[in-house]
Amino acid sequence: MNKTELQRKLERCEENLKEATNELNQLEFVRDAIEKKIEQAQRNVNWWQMSVDDTLNDLNRVQEGELHERATA
């Protein structure tokens, strides 16, 4: 191999490295966006879970009140 061939190979390697770096940056951007969506979905799940828990607690209180009313009637 002569100097010119080595120079071309080096240039190809540098181009490949640049392309790979760009792809990595794009993938990191996508990963960050996915992580944000996952965090948002987790917050939504947590909110719904609290809402369901509150509703179930309210239903239990209503049922307990009805049972108490029946027992005292």
Side-chain angles (χ1 to χ4, degrees):
M1 250 188 254
N2 60 34
K3 184 178 177 181
T4 304
E5 290 173 333
L6 288 174
Q7 185 65 32
R8 274 191 236 128
K9 284 189 178 215
L10 176 61
E11 287 172 1
R12 275 191 302 241
C13 287
E14 288 172 343
E15 287 174 19
N16 289 340
L17 176 60
K18 184 179 177 182
E19 287 176 14
T21 301
N22 287 337
E23 289 177 14
L24 179 61
N25 288 338
Q26 290 173 359
L27 291 172
E28 287 175 345
F29 177 80
V30 170
R31 183 201 64 209
D32 291 345
I34 290 170
E35 285 177 352
K36 287 179 183 176
K37 289 289 185 183
I38 290 171
E39 290 170 3
Q40 181 182 10
Q42 187 62 53
R43 284 191 301 273
N44 289 342
V45 166
N46 290 344
W47 183 88
W48 278 106
Q49 184 64 53
M50 287 188 308
S51 179
V52 167
D53 289 346
D54 289 345
T55 301
L56 291 174
N57 287 336
D58 291 345
L59 288 172
N60 284 335
R61 283 189 213 107
V62 167
Q63 287 176 342
E64 288 171 2
E66 288 175 356
L67 290 175
H68 185 278
E69 287 177 14
R70 287 183 193 157
T72 58

